[in-house]
Amino acid sequence: MLANVCTGAIRGIEGFTVSVEVDIAPGMPTLAVVGLPDAEVRESKDRVVAAIRNSGFDFPLKRITVNLSPAELRKSGTHFDLPIALGILAASEQLSPKAVAKIKDLLVLGEVALDGSLRSCAGVLPMLISCKKLEKTAVIPPANALEGKVSATSFITPHTLKELTEYLEEKIPLGNVQISYLPEAEEETTSDLDFSDVKGQALAKRALEIAAAGGHNVLMIGLPGTGKSMLAKRFAGILPPLTQEESLEITKIYSICNLMGKSKLLTKRPFRDPHHTISDVALIGGGSTPKPGEVSLAHNGVLFLDEFAEFSRSSLEVLREPLENGQVTISRAKETVAYPARFTLVAAMNPCPCGNLGNPLKPCTCTPMQINRYKSRISGPLLDRIDLTVTLNPVKYTDWNKQSEGETSAQIRERVLKARDIQKRRFSGSTTTANAFMTPKEIKQFCILPAGADTVLEAAMRKFGLSARSLDKILKTARTIADLEGKENIETKHLIEVMQYRPLDRKGVADL
């Protein structure tokens, strides 16, 4: 007999419908799964056999063929366990015709344990959202119930395979199975990390305010102990809140990586700070079965790379595509997937391996060759994609000992929100969300220069050898500074302020 169960699969961060076709025929007892399954799906055979037997059913000793359609797309994940088990029970006629008919109205997802209980699986949220148009009731494990709520899809959460079959046979009432809909997003909690904790460093605070207001990338260079990490960890506290669409997109990525935990709809901007020993694949994403990396987990949030120059050269170079295009494209022999990666890069580095280059009190112990090797890990094309660079000087005792607190994160965030509100109105009807992501056409439309400013930019381009990308970034950043001041047009003073945040254009990283 032939049975058909509807389930889903993931490609990139979007789900698609998969039909699990189960055929049972006379012959040597085998269980074959076809349709480009990966190792996780192939291993489901042993789990399914044990789950069916331990749930009180007979496993048919016949030739069983399971086809995952469409067969040309690779399938991965443990959520195929439950639809395969249910399909085998239906095809072996251990379920009544009434129960088999009800299966047609279900979207079945879930990993089964050997005792038949249902365990959580990754990627439930994007699969539910993408398959929502089918108007089916989803069957998901209880551990994934929060993702069902976020998706606003009708769903049930049986605890075991046996409980699901009893529900289909109408042996247990519908009231015993949970059905929920979209809840309110969790309220933002106040962070203990505040900009008022950072002593001095007014220039760095100003640069981070500009970065938050326009979505610009920042590089902080300074001696150890000057506050680079402190500033970076407080940066997320001045960013604007996520929109509903951004929250949903981030939650889908975390669902694919099985990092949801007990969260509902993720309402905080991600802050990812991977260690500098991270591999290229872990940073950018990929693997034999492609999965999102740190750059995608930082989507719509912050990617903080401390000890920037300690990252391998290859790891840093893979950042160029997401910094430019806001997404990562991973190509394999049988498929190509794209993950969103529109993040704000905040990087921090020491001036040399020992950290004392330029320190008037502690001599640098590095050789010139070590210093050049250290700084050469950061290529020119990568630096060209960083909008703001600021050098942090050692904090003076008078600044450290001040009793009065500086500006709080709430005060800075208020100005950032006003600037972002201006940009929201400016880019209404466009996919652009901040000044840093303006297209060339939008730069020409919204970055009108005052009289005489052309001469300033032309002289800077001639003297410092600025690229066209650098000029675009200068204009985008100047537009953000004008927004912070509530100015309709860019002024010459805004361009001059931007130039002080681009010391690498004047002397390069090797001279810092």
Side-chain angles (χ1 to χ4, degrees):
M1 183 177 173
L2 180 67
N4 197 314
V5 182
C6 181
T7 186
I10 298 292
R11 188 179 187 189
I13 66 166
E14 302 299 330
F16 62 92
T17 305
V18 173
S19 179
V20 178
E21 302 168 344
V22 181
D23 178 70
I24 298 180
M28 182 71 68
T30 57
L31 174 54
V33 181
V34 297
L36 281 184
D38 72 351
E40 289 177 327
V41 183
R42 289 194 296 270
E43 288 178 354
S44 68
K45 295 186 290 185
D46 296 324
R47 292 193 296 270
V48 167
V49 172
I52 289 176
R53 286 175 175 164
N54 290 326
S55 298
F57 298 100
D58 295 325
F59 189 82
L61 298 178
K62 296 183 179 181
R63 182 176 180 177
I64 304 173
T65 305
V66 179
N67 179 45
L68 307 178
S69 176
E72 71 273 10
L73 297 178
R74 184 170 293 279
K75 322 297 187 309
S76 64
T78 59
H79 64 277
F80 288 101
D81 292 5
L82 186 57
I84 291 175
L86 195 61
I88 291 174
L89 293 179
S92 60
E93 300 182 345
Q94 297 185 66
L95 299 179
S96 67
K98 177 176 59 177
V100 173
K102 291 183 70 173
I103 292 176
K104 296 178 181 179
D105 298 323
L106 300 178
L107 175 73
V108 185
L109 307 167
E111 176 185 336
V112 295
L114 300 184
D115 61 356
S117 60
L118 302 190
R119 292 177 175 170
S120 66
C121 49
V124 168
L125 178 60
M127 286 187 281
L128 292 184
I129 292 174
S130 298
C131 300
K132 197 172 178 179
K133 60 185 178 183
L134 299 177
E135 297 183 351
K136 293 178 180 286
T137 299
V139 179
I140 60 177
N144 294 107
L146 288 175
E147 294 174 72
K149 292 179 181 179
V150 172
S151 70
T153 303
S154 177
F155 67 96
I156 59 176
T157 55
H159 293 81
T160 63
L161 174 62
K162 182 69 174 178
E163 185 178 340
L164 175 59
T165 58
E166 288 178 349
Y167 163 67
L168 294 174
E169 298 285 3
E170 298 183 357
K171 293 181 180 179
I172 59 173
L174 186 62
N176 288 359
V177 186
Q178 178 185 0
I179 298 183
S180 301
Y181 296 93
L182 182 65
E184 294 294 325
E186 293 179 327
E187 293 184 2
E188 289 190 87
T189 55
T190 305
S191 174
D192 293 332
L193 302 176
D194 198 279
F195 265 84
S196 60
D197 301 330
V198 183
K199 304 295 184 179
Q201 306 301 0
L203 188 65
K205 290 179 182 178
R206 171 65 173 171
L208 290 176
E209 179 181 339
I210 295 169
H216 304 286
N217 302 314
V218 187
L219 171 62
M220 295 182 286
I221 305 174
L223 303 175
T226 51
K228 302 185 294 295
S229 297
M230 279 189 73
L231 286 164
K233 290 176 181 177
R234 285 154 178 77
F235 179 69
I238 64 173
L239 292 173
L242 289 167
T243 64
Q244 186 81 2
E245 184 180 350
E246 289 173 334
S247 294
L248 192 58
E249 197 169 29
I250 295 170
T251 307
K252 286 166 67 175
I253 297 172
Y254 277 67
S255 173
I256 292 169
C257 296
N258 209 14
L259 295 175
M260 285 283 291
K262 295 183 179 180
S263 301
K264 296 179 183 178
L265 188 66
L266 298 179
T267 56
K268 290 184 178 179
R269 291 192 180 271
F271 182 88
R272 306 294 298 184
D273 54 344
H275 193 261
H276 61 262
T277 56
I278 191 172
S279 67
D280 301 1
V281 171
L283 182 62
I284 204 70
S288 55
T289 302
K291 291 290 177 65
E294 288 291 333
V295 296
S296 295
L297 292 172
H299 181 59
N300 289 329
V302 181
L303 179 66
F304 175 45
L305 300 184
D306 200 5
E307 304 298 342
F308 195 43
E310 294 290 353
F311 285 79
S312 68
R313 177 72 181 260
S314 60
S315 294
L316 293 178
E317 290 306 303
V318 297
L319 292 173
R320 286 159 62 172
E321 181 192 355
L323 286 175
E324 187 70 21
N325 302 323
Q327 72 171 16
V328 173
T329 303
I330 299 170
S331 297
R332 294 293 180 265
K334 293 185 179 295
E335 64 178 335
T336 299
V337 297
Y339 297 114
R342 180 73 73 187
F343 56 87
T344 299
L345 174 66
V346 178
M349 61 178 285
N350 296 325
C352 69
C354 77
N356 292 323
L357 183 64
N359 192 330
L361 301 178
K362 294 182 180 179
C364 175
T365 59
C366 305
T367 66
M369 183 177 294
Q370 288 174 324
I371 295 173
N372 287 334
R373 188 184 302 116
Y374 176 77
K375 293 179 175 179
S376 64
R377 293 180 186 175
I378 308 172
S379 67
L382 178 59
L383 289 172
D384 212 24
R385 288 164 169 80
I386 296 176
D387 308 63
L388 303 163
T389 303
V390 61
T391 302
L392 280 70
N393 297 314
V395 179
K396 297 179 181 178
Y397 179 80
T398 53
D399 290 332
W400 177 83
N401 199 38
K402 274 184 179 178
Q403 298 300 317
S404 60
E405 294 186 348
E407 278 194 308
T408 64
S409 293
Q411 292 172 314
I412 299 173
R413 192 183 194 218
E414 186 177 350
R415 295 195 294 268
V416 169
L417 291 177
K418 288 180 180 178
R420 285 287 185 125
D421 190 54
I422 292 171
Q423 294 167 52
K424 184 178 179 181
R425 294 195 300 270
R426 175 183 299 138
F427 303 123
S428 177
S430 167
T431 56
T432 304
T433 56
N435 288 334
F437 313 131
M438 281 193 286
T439 63
K441 183 179 179 181
E442 289 169 335
I443 294 173
K444 187 175 181 180
Q445 181 180 357
F446 300 120
C447 298
I448 301 172
L449 295 175
D454 284 338
T455 306
V456 174
L457 283 180
E458 185 180 1
M461 188 175 186
R462 247 191 346 262
K463 185 175 181 180
F464 305 132
L466 300 180
S467 66
R469 182 187 287 115
S470 295
L471 289 177
D472 285 346
K473 289 194 174 294
I474 289 172
L475 291 178
K476 293 175 183 179
T477 311
R479 178 67 268 174
T480 300
I481 295 174
D483 291 342
L484 284 168
E485 295 184 1
K487 302 291 186 180
E488 185 175 350
N489 294 313
I490 296 173
E491 298 179 2
T492 304
K493 66 176 182 178
H494 301 146
L495 294 171
I496 294 172
E497 182 178 358
V498 173
M499 294 305 297
Q500 72 174 325
Y501 298 118
R502 299 190 66 85
L504 301 184
D505 291 335
R506 299 192 291 274
K507 51 186 177 181
V509 71
D511 298 322
L512 288 177

